[in-house]
Amino acid sequence: MTVSILCAIAALFAAGCFDPPTTQPPPDELQQVVIPLPYDLAWDAVNAVVRENSFHVQAQDMTNGIIEAVGPRFTLHDADCGKVKSLAGAYSAEPQANSSSVYNFLVRPRGREATLVEVRATFNSSVTVPLHPTTDVDCVSHGIQESNLLRDVLAEARKTHRPEFAGPSRSQQASPRASAQASGPATARNQARPPSSIDNTAMQPSAPPSSMHGFSLGGNFKLPAPPPQ
């Protein structure tokens, strides 16, 4: 009542006033989820989501499961920064160009095969009230960005697994005896002998060419008989 009365009095003097955020912080179910991964793989999945969203990591501690990352500029859709009242009426305070969004990821093991992932968002912006100095305001999250990030973590968890090592193929499991036969030295017994042109010549006598008819191989030669007169 006191704040409303002061705003009414200030409005009479063409001044404005500021009402802080009234939105309640999001419940835990919008800010945490349990994924079916051991701690080390869950840590990798969360880091993958941080990279995919192009966040800037300010602090990281795997031992304690903490990642602090800076996100892009937020909007009224993401958080409540209060209301400004003036003669023109009341309106929601818009996040300014220098606004900041910081996401704190908490990763906690839940047994050997499950991990709790929690996301806490902190939004801050300067607010300008007519005839008043600019004020920094801690805006209250609507839980929308936290829910979106947790959905990304769940999707990343479904495709995160340990590397699988393939066993030897069937072609590599041949018996030692077959391998020895395949790699043993070649012998004259198990290799086919290539045909020899010398053997073929020796086995098959060749007839002398027609230009050598009438010549003997002993060194003597006979003239062919003269044709009949």
Side-chain angles (χ1 to χ4, degrees):
M1 290 293 294
T2 303
V3 174
S4 299
I5 293 173
L6 291 176
C7 284
I9 296 174
L12 294 176
F13 294 93
C17 64
F18 171 73
D19 286 344
T22 58
T23 301
Q24 294 298 316
D28 289 343
E29 55 265 22
L30 295 180
Q31 300 181 95
Q32 61 186 26
V33 68
V34 176
I35 59 176
L37 285 178
Y39 176 77
D40 59 330
L41 294 183
W43 179 262
D44 293 342
V46 172
N47 275 276
V49 170
V50 171
R51 290 192 300 270
E52 290 171 359
N53 285 274
S54 301
F55 290 171
H56 173 68
V57 177
Q58 292 190 137
Q60 192 175 45
D61 184 359
M62 185 176 181
T63 302
N64 295 308
I66 299 174
I67 302 174
E68 183 179 290
V70 177
R73 178 185 175 184
F74 68 98
T75 65
L76 287 177
H77 179 71
D78 303 319
D80 176 13
C81 295
K83 291 185 179 298
V84 177
K85 293 182 179 180
S86 67
L87 285 178
Y91 55 91
S92 297
E94 287 278 356
Q96 302 299 309
N98 61 348
S99 64
S100 64
S101 59
V102 178
Y103 297 91
N104 291 282
F105 295 85
L106 305 178
V107 186
R108 299 286 186 268
R110 287 293 181 267
R112 299 183 59 183
E113 299 298 328
T115 305
L116 174 69
V117 178
E118 185 175 332
V119 182
R120 301 285 179 177
T122 301
F123 301 108
N124 181 274
S125 177
S126 58
V127 175
T128 302
V129 180
L131 302 180
H132 287 276
T134 300
T135 306
D136 286 337
V137 177
D138 290 328
C139 307
V140 179
S141 173
H142 292 309
I144 297 173
Q145 290 300 326
E146 295 92 322
S147 298
N148 292 338
L149 290 170
L150 290 177
R151 277 194 291 269
D152 292 343
V153 170
L154 283 171
E156 187 67 29
R158 294 188 187 98
K159 57 183 181 181
T160 301
H161 54 79
R162 300 193 187 281
E164 298 179 359
F165 298 96
S169 60
R170 295 183 61 183
S171 61
Q172 295 175 340
Q173 295 177 345
S175 63
R177 181 177 179 181
S179 300
Q181 290 178 356
S183 60
T187 61
R189 183 175 181 181
N190 59 21
Q191 278 200 339
R193 183 180 179 185
S196 174
S197 59
I198 299 177
D199 295 342
N200 293 339
T201 305
M203 296 296 295
Q204 298 179 3
S206 58
S210 59
S211 60
M212 294 182 64
H213 287 173
F215 291 88
S216 65
L217 298 177
N220 300 321
F221 62 90
K222 297 178 181 181
L223 294 174
Q229 298 293 333

